[in-house]
Structure formats: C-alpha cells, structure tokens
Amino acid sequence: GGRMEVLEEKEEEEQREEELEDLETSDKLQDVKTKVSVEQVFIPSDIPDLDWSSIDMSQFPSSYKTNSLREKKILQMADHFLKQYTHVYPERKPLFLHPVNECGVEKFVSTTVRPTLVPYIDLYYWDGCASFVSDYLTMEPLKSPITPPSSLYSPTTILKYQRGNCFDFSVLLCSMLIGAGYDAYCVHGYATREMCSLDETLELCPLLRKPPQEVPKEEMKKSNKYTVTPPPDLQNKFELQQETEKAETEAAEKSKEREEKVTEVEKPERDPLHGLRVHAWVLVLSGNRDVPETFFINPFTGKSHSTTDEHFLGIESVWNHTNYWVNKQDCWNGCKDLVFDLGDAVRWEIMIPENNKPLQLLPDAEEENILSDRGIGDLEEEKVEYMRFGMPLSWADPIQISPRQLEIRYSQGRKVILYKKAKLEKWAPNLNGSGLVKRLTIYADLDRTDVVEVREWFENREDMLEMREVNKQTQLTTDYFSPGHLFHIKAHTYASLEPETEHTMEFYSSARADDLQKHVENATEMIEYFEGRDDFLHSRHTEFGKRGEEIHSAGTRTDTSSRPIVQIKECFHRNLEKPADEDVAERIFLITEEKIYLTYHLKDGYFIASKKVFSKAMRNRKGKAAVTAPKMCISYQAGSFEKDENPLHDYQLLQKLTTEEKWLKRQVRQTEAEVLKILKIRKNEEMAIQLSDPNYDTEGDERRRQEHEVMKKTKKDEVPQQKDGQKEQDLDYLAPFLIRLGYEGKMTKQLALCIRDECLTAYKQRLINNVKITQARYEKAVEELREKQQWFQKNRSRLSAEEEDEFLASYSEALFRISITVQRLNSKKHMGPQKYLAFKEKLLNDPRLAEHLSHT
C-alpha cells in the first residue's frame, strides 16, 4: 500500500511538471510555476490540517476495499472509452473517470455518488442541502490547481472528517439532491480563480443586496374640464434642452471617472491560469421537483448561479449515479452558449448507451462451436457483454446526518466569510452564551479596518431579542425583538440604557391595551404614537421643563424629583360619526400658561378649521382669584359670522378638559415609570442573558446518560457506602454538564473550560432566579396590600366595628409577611455573591477539572 502511494505521488508530480512546462511556452504564462507555488487560498486559520493517510482502513466495509465483477467491468469500459476519447480528441485533457477511494481502490466516479434522502425538512430542498454542505465542510484546495485530484472519497468519509475538495463537496451535494428528487449531476470543468479558491472578498455580501423594487404602474389621471389652464411657457425650450444635455453629459463623465477609479482599485490581479483552473460543481436540470430553469450550484458557497455566469469557464464532463457524459461543445465563450440536453448525441457523448433493448445473441451453431473451445463461465461473461450493461450500485455507505450534526453545522462551531467591505461570522445555535448565531461587520474600506456598522442575529433568547444593529458613526444601537416580550417591544433604538436619554421604542400595538405603537423620548420631550384606538388618538406630544424649576398651577403639587410638564399635545384622526366642526383634531394643554387650545377637523370646502381657546381662572399663591381674569373661552366657528356664545356649555367643556388634563398628567407619569422599568429590565436582561432550552440530540444524550450511569455504578462499587446524611452533600453537580458535552472518561483542557463556564453560568442563573422569585412574591404581596387598603378606604363607612377589627388584623398580618419577604430578599442579595465565589472555588478544585484549570 505504501509503495503504491509513493508511485501515485511520483506520477502526479511528473504530470504536473509536464503541464507547467507546456504553459511556459506561452508568453502570457511565463511565471506560472512561481505564482502557483505562492498562491494563497482562503482557508480558516483556526482549523488544523488533516493527514488523510492516517485514516484507519480497518473500519471500512468490504465494498470500500474490493471491486465487484460489475465494478471491474465498468472500469474496463471506462478504460476503453478513454482510449477512444483520447484518439478522437488528442488535444483535450484526460477525463476524470476512476480515481482511487480512501482505501486506495479505483472506483468509477458514478458509483461514488450515493443518492440518499435525508429525513429532515431543511434538507428536502436544494438550498437547504447546499447551505448545509457549504457550512458543514471545510474547503481543501486541489494539490494542483490545473489538474483533477487523483482520489475521490465516499460522501460518508467526507461527512465524518468535515473536509474535502471541490469534487468531494460536489459528490456529497449531488447525492443529497438526487435523493431528494432533483435531476442533479456532478460537473468537472473550469472556473475563475476566485471561485476555485473560495475568495469572495470582491463579492457583495448577500445580506447587503437590496431586493428588486417593483415599480408601481402609474395610474391614469382623470381629466377635469374645470381645471385652470396654466399660463404658456415663454422660455426658449431649445436653450433649456441644450443646458440640460450639457449638465447630464458632465454628470455622466464625472460618474464614469469615479466608477473607473473605484473599479481600478477593486479590480483583481490578472490570473496567469485563467481558463485552466479545475473546478467541480453541481448541475441541476429543469423538470424534476418543479425546477423551472437549469442552474449551477457552487458547493463551496451553496449559492445558485445561472448557466451563463461568467465565473464558469468550461465543462469537460458531467455524471450522476447512472451514467457519464462528455461535453463536445466549444467553450470559447465559457458556459454561456452550452446546451444541457444530455440526450443530444451531437453535443454530448454518453459512455453507456441508454437503450433498453439487449443486443442480439449469437446463433446456436456458433454458440456450440464456442462451447467446445471455451468453458461455460467464459460463455456467460461473453453473453453479459452482449447484453445492455447497467451502472453498478454505489459502493459507498448511505449518508447519515444526525440532528446534532445538523444543529452544530459549522466546523469548530464557527465560520467566517470575507466579503467586499464586509465580514460575516456564523455560529452554531446555543454555542454562545448570548445566543449569537450570526454577525455582519460592515467596513468603509477594502482592507476591512474602518468599521461602519455591526449587525448581529440571535436565537433562543428568553428576552426575545432577534437582531441588533450598532452604528459606529452615530453610536446608536437598535435592538429588534420577536413577539412575546414582557412589554411587547418590537424595536428599541438607543445610545445608552440610562433614563432620560434619547431613545426610540417601537411596540407590537395589537398586544398592548393602550395600542401604543411607538415611543420617542429625550431629556426635554416625549412623543407617543398610537394605532387603532377607539378614541381615534394617534399621537401625544409632551414637553418637559428643567428639573428643579418652580412651575405652579392650580390644583397641582410641585415635585422637584421629576421633570415638570410644560405642555401636552394630542392629535386625533377623523371620527366620521361626528360633524367635522365638533370632532377635535388637536388639543394642546399649556400647563404653565393655564390654557387649553382646541382645533377641530376641517369641514368640506373650508380652508380654516374651527378653534377654541380656554383660559382657566388664574390664582395667586394665597389661592384667591386674580384681580383681572381673562375671558374663559374664545372661539372661532368656521362658516359662521355670528357669535354663538354659550357660557354654560363652555364652562362644562372646560371642567371636562380640566379633569382630562389631570388624567393626562397621571398618564404621562405612568408612561415615564413604564419606560424606566423597561430600561431597567433591559439592563438586567443584558447583564444576565438567558437562553431557552435547545433541542439536543436525544438519542446521543440517552446513550451518554447510560454510559455515565455505568461509570457511576462502577465508581460506587469501588467507594465504600456513605451515610444517608451525606447523600445531598455529595451529589455530582457536574453530571448534567458531563452528559451534555459528551464526556467519555477522558478530560481535555477545552472540555474542562466549557464545563467550567456552563456550570458557573447555570449556578449564577440559579441564584438570580431565586432572587427573582422572592422579588415577584414581594411585589405581589405589596399589590395585594394596596388593593386591600383601597377597598378599606372605599367601604370604611359601611363596615361594622367587628369587620373593621378583622380587616386590621389581616392587614397587620400582610405587613408582617411583607417584612419577612424583604428580609429574605436582602439576605439572598447579600449572600448570593458569597455563595457564587464559594461554588467557583469548589468547582476549580474539583479533581476532574483541577489538572486542566490550574493555570486559569
């Protein structure tokens, strides 16, 4: 086996040197050897290399190590087909027909394809399969960029070791697509340097591409015979046209110069191997699974491409699990002009003719003569040659993907993709403690040094956070939430989570009782927007004064700790059940000036709306009426020239508005308190992030649990029996984390660090949950006490002496329970950090972890 590998490597090196020497004869390709040797391929640096020669071959089944009779026959046919092909097309490169597998055995490429339907909804469609293959596998470059590989491993081996070249990627993806019902084929061809080396640094990130906007059809304007005819345009239209054309020409030249400069900077270097770089991808023909149009899939990225994409420069051959086709069309224009009708014998040469009729057997007389000269076994093989030959079944094992593999997806749990002025990072769900699964960093320059914006996506967050945008230029952060948050937040834009700073909150209005849709606030004002309210209110604008200013108004108390309210303005939609001049459109409460402004909706055919201005009686500090009081109401009635004064009606309306003003003040204070509570909760949620329970691999967990039980039982037999009082004290607190992280008796430093972090996080969350439970009990008890107090004040006059004494006894008992709860709450808050530190010390000294955490 070792001698055969050495011979294969020597043959590869000799073939590579011959090809490179041929290239040197061209003036354009003088430095090919040097450039190929120093060529860089974009491979993640944190993923170690794998020595494929170190694979244990004893674990493979016999189909991997030997060939059946049908497989040997197809190899003979392939050699015969290759000889004919070389004779007809001596100038073309050798075909990729029968590379060796992981056991060093030659296998025909069609038999390496293993159609398998993987039982997951996400992998039933082509885009799900393609994204899984591109995410799960790590790209390995071809040993020679202009030569197909000498080996092609089974899809199961590629899945196991999570790495492979473009041919390995394509065979795995094609196997999954055929299993899902697609008419898919592996392609051996040529592509650009960027596609072959997985270099997307000059590509725009898909997350930054704007969807095509549908241009609405212009509505036909209805002609109106009463429209005023505009005055004639007396300007010289020829001069205007000349000036416009001149301005457009100058703008186009400047734009062209700017684009040329940008293109020159972003233009990739000339590739000396352009058109010669070997690449493999997947072809999906239209028809099956309602595919409307034939397309390509680049397995490295999982993206679909048109067959006219300029990145694909030519095709040598295609194959699936049933046959092999050679392209006979000219690829001087890449793949743009190729026709993918594989049944067309003029354009495609098929290896195994697809006719269902067997070839005619020999006559009986000739068969007898042959029988006399040859054995019966030879005759049977001869008959098989004349019969139609079908492709042997795949020698590879069925593809199996566990739920854990589908969830982890990325190699090492993380993947980084560099785009043009952007970097995209992906993580497996629940790998990060913050629930982060994707991060897009947008830069201002091609070197990716000047950060402009950062976008992050989250999953399984208890606070329902889905996405976060951080603008580095404005220093503003926007959080987006899915439905289900405690306060029904939809989006929150802020520079800081401190109170009375500038921030904007959007809500799911249908889930809130007040139909609040948006809240905008800074130090001096607060604007609320509503949606779908029964009272037709759509916005409320509150202006505040500086804290500490003495603002006195009748019937109000001055609170220096809160911001004084200067003005409240409300706007309403039209209520069609009321006349327009009785339907209020806007009302302004000037708290400092003791005035109220009402503006009604416009009546049809009017340009000015009806208005009312109310002045409340000004009072001095002693509470007496002012000497000169303004008129109570000044009104304007649109369309009426007579003064229609009704003092009683105006007085009643003023009383009603005064009452509503007081209610509005309380409402503003409640909104301020709610915003403070939201900011406080958001702070706590970010300080102690909670994730919902992930869907782990139940089969794997059950297997690990059984193995752990066996280990625990073995350990229990070795250790003397303990007393009952020590059972709770000696519980194995690491057991759940050992099971979850797949501990099998051998501890590593990385595993120890993961166990330490998860165990400490879980214990910290347990302490926080205990405090939250006690806090909730305290708040509930206080609320019940407040309700009791309100009920007693309301019904005190109707209570008897015995009922009053009974109430006072229950009231004092409730007070006592609240005091006990407060003591427990303070005790837990005080003892929490001490317990955490004690547990941390105990964890670090655990004999299973101490060896690996001694320097941490």
Side-chain angles (χ1 to χ4, degrees), residues 200-216:
E200 299 181 88
T201 54
L202 295 180
E203 297 288 333
L204 185 64
C205 179
L207 298 175
L208 297 177
R209 293 175 186 165
K210 295 181 180 180
Q213 296 181 354
E214 296 182 0
V215 180

Side-chain angles (χ1 to χ4, degrees), residues 11 14 50 53 75 106 123 136 144 190 265 357 383 423 517 520-521 540 621 665 683 722 724 762 802 809:
E11 290 177 0
E14 292 174 359
L50 175 66
S53 61
L75 291 175
E106 286 189 356
L123 302 183
Y136 191 74
S144 171
Y190 305 93
V265 173
K357 297 179 182 179
K383 286 183 179 180
K423 181 176 70 172
Q517 188 243 343
V520 182
E521 184 177 351
R540 180 185 295 140
R621 293 183 180 180
K665 289 179 183 178
K683 271 187 182 179
Q722 297 177 344
D724 295 338
E802 294 180 358

